[in-house]
Amino acid sequence: METYILQLFNGISVSSIYILAALGLAITFGLMKVINMAHGEFIMIGAYATYVMQNIFLHYVDKSLFGYYFVAAIPVAFLVAGAMGFLLEGAVIKHLYGRPLDSILATWGISLVLQQLARSIFGAPNVDVQSPGWLEGALVISQGLQFPYKRLFIIVLVIACIIGVFVFLYKSKYGIQIRAVMQNRAMAASLGINTRLVDAYTFAVGSGIAGIAGCALTLLGSIGSTVGTYYIVDTFMVVVLGGVGTLLGTIAGGLVIGTANTTFEFFTNTSLGKVLVFTLVILFLQWRPKGLFTINSRSLD
Amino acid sequence: MKAKEEMVFIAILIGLALAPLFLSEFRTNLLGKFVAYAILAIGLDLIWGYTGILSLGHGVYFGLGGYAMAMYLKLEAANGKLPDFMSWSGLEVLPWFWQPFANGAAAMVLAILIPTGIALVIGYLTFKNRIQGVYFSILSQALALIFVVLFVGQQAYTGGTNGLTNYKSIMGLPLANDTTKLVLYYVAVGLLGLTYYLCRVLVNRRIGKILIAIRDGENRVRFSGYNPAAYKIFVYCLSAAIAGVAGAVFVPQVGIISPAEMGIVPSIEMIIWVAIGGRGTLVGAVIGAILVNALKSGVSESFPAVWSYFIGLAFVAVVLFMPAGIVGLARKLARRLRLPGSKDVKAGEAA
């Protein structure tokens, strides 16, 4: 019994990381139809922003406050990655709307540059981020059943982000504008929405959420310039499996891939587990090429 | 203009044939490796440039062709015994799927058949179900990841992360021998010419027109009574077969094949060659593959950081400012200079 609960918890824990990494992608890929291969590098930026915050707290802030650096790092990671996203949109992405295959290539180039930039600034070896004291230890239910606080914290963080994105997209003025532009650009523009500006901040928000994902990743291991590339394929699979353009689909896709991953790994091994998951996703897409949750459309090219 | 591009290709071929006279053995060997890449790039151009299918997993087919050849070389080096890495991993008999590769001819046929077979399955599943555009790209990328994870994980059968290396001879000829190296180089150049000729004939025929039509408006092709899926499966398989040939040509010259050659990063780099050379021109793929790799080995040896910035920015610049690549730029220049034959340049660019 305990094994099952622990296994389920691990599944949810892995899923939560996938969801957080894919949430930003669901916005840029799902809504804007830009295939951002540099999404993983925004995760990396968030992770390094956390590392920098830790160092600032270590050297310039009173020792007693060190435990709170992580709380401060979350919004900083969001803002730094978001700002980078905003700049990138203005410099490159805006030329690529409506050219999804080209956007894969150009953003791949950007990801190479960003990775090298990180190596030049922080050095090639991985760096470690020290978790704050209040996240050490675990919630002990019984001897065999312990939930690490770090994992619990990430799950809570992910839930908060999902709620935040939902409120932003469906309740706020900006969200309504975003959805209007994505559904019918010309109509939205004629109603006085500045579509260029909407594009820019949508991309910035998507990138910012990737930054938060990077922040969360620092709790789980050391970080390096290639941290994003480990996640990029998985997150794309999450979005594709869930159905492009639906928030619900991203969450469902993340849960399915995350739990399937840990389950298969439990029964086989790490490498075969991953192969099995991706094979099943590809087979599933044969049956539903548009993913779990689809938006029906009669449009043709 | 087409005739002019063929002239350019013939010039490249002559240049490659004469190159060993001027280059050191080391450089010739390096050039042979780029020629293998150029073979693959032609196949990639066929599906991406002509048919509009962006495969981000072509390293897999390259790798499968390479592994087929490497398995043969490894068995020849082992001389009837079990390859060294297998005995280290605790295997005692040769796995059944290794056995056909003991025969050189069989291995070379399999280097083409295995990539083609896998491409047939993948292509049939995806194109039949009308998975297109970016969805196909993402799935092909996942394919690359699957194969890398599989090949790294099955250490006893594939050599794991290290891959297969330490070959001694090919068809009885010692690989360390300079004559053997030269023969391998000319085989590579010959295969490059053959591949180019095959693809050139293909795109000049009606099927080539249909491929371009699929790229420019798949639904219209479907409404005209064609079945785009069949054409896409065919061209995907052909391109996988070409990639397999390229892999098989690559391995004896370089002396190693490992999962690092078939992952996502090399797969996307292959796209870069075609993009920089000029997609949809065939000759552009050859130029791109040789040029980018020559630059890479020149620059990255001494300045790896500079190379990363350069290739990243070059990629962005090519996509944004010169989508037709070097060949497109040359066409534009030819039009500026009002060279003869520049009349049909416009038509060529619109394609």
Side-chain angles (χ1 to χ4, degrees):
Chain A
M1 187 62 208
E2 276 172 353
T3 327
Y4 289 118
I5 296 179
L6 209 61
Q7 201 55 36
L8 189 69
F9 175 76
N10 282 340
I12 293 173
S13 173
V14 171
S15 303
S16 64
I17 291 284
Y18 283 158
I19 292 172
L20 195 54
L23 209 55
L25 206 61
I27 294 176
T28 51
F29 176 33
L31 292 176
M32 308 177 79
K33 301 280 179 283
V34 171
I35 319 297
N36 184 12
M37 295 294 286
H39 187 77
E41 276 56 54
F42 289 107
I43 295 178
M44 173 197 80
I45 290 172
Y48 274 116
T50 312
Y51 173 70
V52 170
M53 279 307 280
Q54 172 206 251
N55 286 353
I56 291 176
F57 269 66
L58 266 179
H59 298 296
Y60 302 105
V61 182
D62 192 70
K63 273 243 152 50
S64 62
L65 291 173
F66 178 74
Y68 298 102
Y69 89 86
F70 199 77
V71 179
I74 294 171
V76 169
F78 177 83
L79 289 175
V80 173
M84 283 296 283
F86 190 83
L87 289 176
L88 194 65
E89 200 277 344
V92 179
I93 308 289
K94 71 174 176 195
H95 302 291
L96 298 171
Y97 292 120
R99 296 161 62 189
L101 292 182
D102 285 347
S103 72
I104 293 181
L105 305 179
T107 51
W108 178 260
I110 292 165
S111 102
L112 288 179
V113 171
L114 289 177
Q115 278 182 28
Q116 186 55 48
L117 206 61
R119 272 195 293 273
S120 303
I121 299 173
F122 297 100
N126 282 12
V127 294
D128 278 306
V129 171
Q130 195 189 340
S131 316
W134 48 275
L135 282 177
E136 297 295 346
L139 184 68
V140 181
I141 309 279
S142 70
Q143 194 56 40
L145 204 59
Q146 302 187 355
F147 302 136
Y149 285 127
K150 286 179 187 172
R151 297 271 181 181
L152 288 171
F153 178 79
I154 292 174
I155 293 173
V156 173
L157 181 69
V158 173
I159 293 171
C161 284
I162 291 172
I163 294 171
V165 168
F166 181 82
V167 170
F168 175 74
L169 274 183
Y170 291 91
K171 302 291 171 198
S172 79
K173 190 185 100 187
Y174 297 110
I176 291 168
Q177 286 186 355
I178 289 172
R179 288 185 298 129
V181 171
M182 300 319 152
Q183 280 169 23
N184 192 332
R185 181 172 291 269
M187 182 75 81
S190 71
L191 289 171
I193 295 175
N194 183 346
T195 57
R196 273 296 307 127
L197 195 66
V198 170
D199 287 335
Y201 66 68
T202 313
F203 196 81
V205 169
S207 308
I209 294 168
I212 298 183
C215 192
L217 277 184
T218 61
L219 292 177
L220 301 178
S222 63
I223 49 171
S225 58
T226 53
V227 70
T229 44
Y230 287 115
Y231 285 89
I232 190 78
V233 180
D234 297 78
T235 45
F236 269 116
M237 290 301 265
V238 166
V239 176
V240 169
L241 174 67
V244 174
T246 67
L247 213 53
L248 199 62
T250 305
I251 297 162
L255 280 173
V256 170
I257 289 187
T259 39
N261 234 337
T262 51
T263 314
F264 287 137
E265 278 175 15
F266 183 74
F267 288 113
T268 59
N269 56 52
T270 316
S271 71
L272 269 183
K274 187 141 215 139
V275 172
L276 271 174
V277 171
F278 277 7
T279 312
L280 286 181
V281 170
I282 293 177
L283 288 177
F284 175 79
L285 289 173
Q286 307 305 314
W287 176 50
R288 299 200 64 160
K290 295 263 152 97
L292 284 167
F293 295 87
T294 52
I295 300 168
N296 289 321
S297 150
R298 288 174 170 272
S299 66
L300 276 175
D301 58 314
Chain B
M1 201 60 197
K2 285 246 171 66
K4 194 168 281 173
E5 269 155 26
E6 242 149 291
M7 299 287 281
V8 172
F9 180 74
I10 289 168
I12 293 174
L13 215 53
I14 292 172
L16 287 174
L18 295 179
L21 298 178
F22 306 102
L23 296 176
S24 68
E25 276 141 30
F26 172 75
R27 296 274 169 208
T28 310
N29 190 243
L30 206 60
L31 194 61
K33 175 180 157 186
F34 303 160
V35 170
Y37 285 146
I39 295 174
L40 172 127
I42 292 178
L44 204 53
D45 194 23
L46 205 59
I47 60 162
W48 182 41
Y50 284 91
T51 324
I53 303 166
L54 180 57
S55 165
L56 297 180
H58 248 55
V60 169
Y61 302 120
F62 180 79
L64 287 172
Y67 268 98
M69 179 57 104
M71 284 157 89
Y72 158 66
L73 294 173
K74 197 74 190 164
L75 287 177
E76 193 170 296
N79 212 357
K81 283 188 244 130
L82 207 57
D84 45 8
F85 72 92
M86 283 191 186
S87 14
W88 299 334
S89 308
L91 286 191
E92 275 163 16
V93 282
L94 195 68
W96 61 268
F97 57 86
W98 267 73
Q99 280 162 9
F101 294 96
N103 181 315
M108 280 164 210
V109 173
L110 285 170
I112 300 174
L113 284 186
I114 292 172
T116 314
I118 291 188
L120 185 67
V121 174
I122 304 274
Y124 182 83
L125 287 176
T126 47
F127 298 132
K128 198 85 185 161
N129 289 298
R130 298 191 190 175
I131 293 177
Q132 356 172 291
V134 293
Y135 298 93
F136 178 79
S137 301
I138 291 166
L139 285 189
S140 66
Q141 195 175 41
L143 185 76
L145 191 72
I146 288 176
F147 270 87
V148 170
V149 169
L150 203 61
F151 271 66
V152 170
Q154 303 301 311
Q155 178 132 16
Y157 303 110
T158 62
T161 325
N162 300 329
L164 300 176
T165 184
N166 288 333
Y167 320 127
K168 296 210 170 60
S169 59
I170 180 163
M171 301 279 173
L173 300 168
L175 277 169
N177 192 322
D178 291 338
T179 325
T180 315
K181 283 183 179 165
L182 207 60
V183 169
L184 284 173
Y185 174 79
Y186 278 111
V187 167
V189 174
L191 282 170
L192 176 70
L194 194 70
T195 312
Y196 179 85
Y197 177 73
L198 184 82
C199 293
R200 173 53 72 201
V201 168
L202 190 80
V203 297
N204 283 349
R205 284 171 179 262
R206 203 168 68 129
I207 180 169
K209 305 278 184 291
I210 295 170
L211 295 181
I212 293 172
I214 289 173
R215 177 189 70 190
D216 293 339
E218 190 173 337
N219 278 317
R220 295 177 202 185
V221 176
R222 187 172 289 124
F223 297 153
S224 310
Y226 291 96
N227 178 9
Y231 288 93
K232 286 164 94 171
I233 294 168
F234 167 74
V235 76
Y236 187 59
C237 287
L238 178 63
S239 143
I242 294 173
V245 171
V249 167
F250 174 86
V251 166
Q253 299 193 78
V254 178
I256 183 170
I257 184 83
S258 71
E261 297 287 346
M262 58 200 296
I264 292 167
V265 176
S267 295
I268 295 185
E269 272 184 21
M270 293 164 188
I271 304 284
I272 303 186
W273 310 333
V274 181
I276 289 183
R279 64 181 105 156
T281 58
L282 294 185
V283 73
V286 176
I287 297 173
I290 295 178
L291 192 74
V292 172
N293 281 297
L295 268 177
K296 182 176 184 174
S297 66
V299 178
S300 69
E301 277 161 19
S302 24
F303 313 101
V306 174
W307 173 252
S308 285
Y309 286 126
F310 171 79
I311 193 75
L313 292 174
F315 218 175
V316 177
V318 166
V319 170
L320 291 187
F321 303 117
M322 41 185 277
I326 291 171
V327 172
L329 207 65
R331 281 177 178 172
K332 218 183 238 173
L333 276 177
R335 194 170 54 203
R336 284 268 165 78
L337 299 171
R338 295 190 183 284
L339 287 179
S342 58
K343 229 182 213 167
D344 53 354
V345 164
K346 240 185 182 151
E349 267 197 354

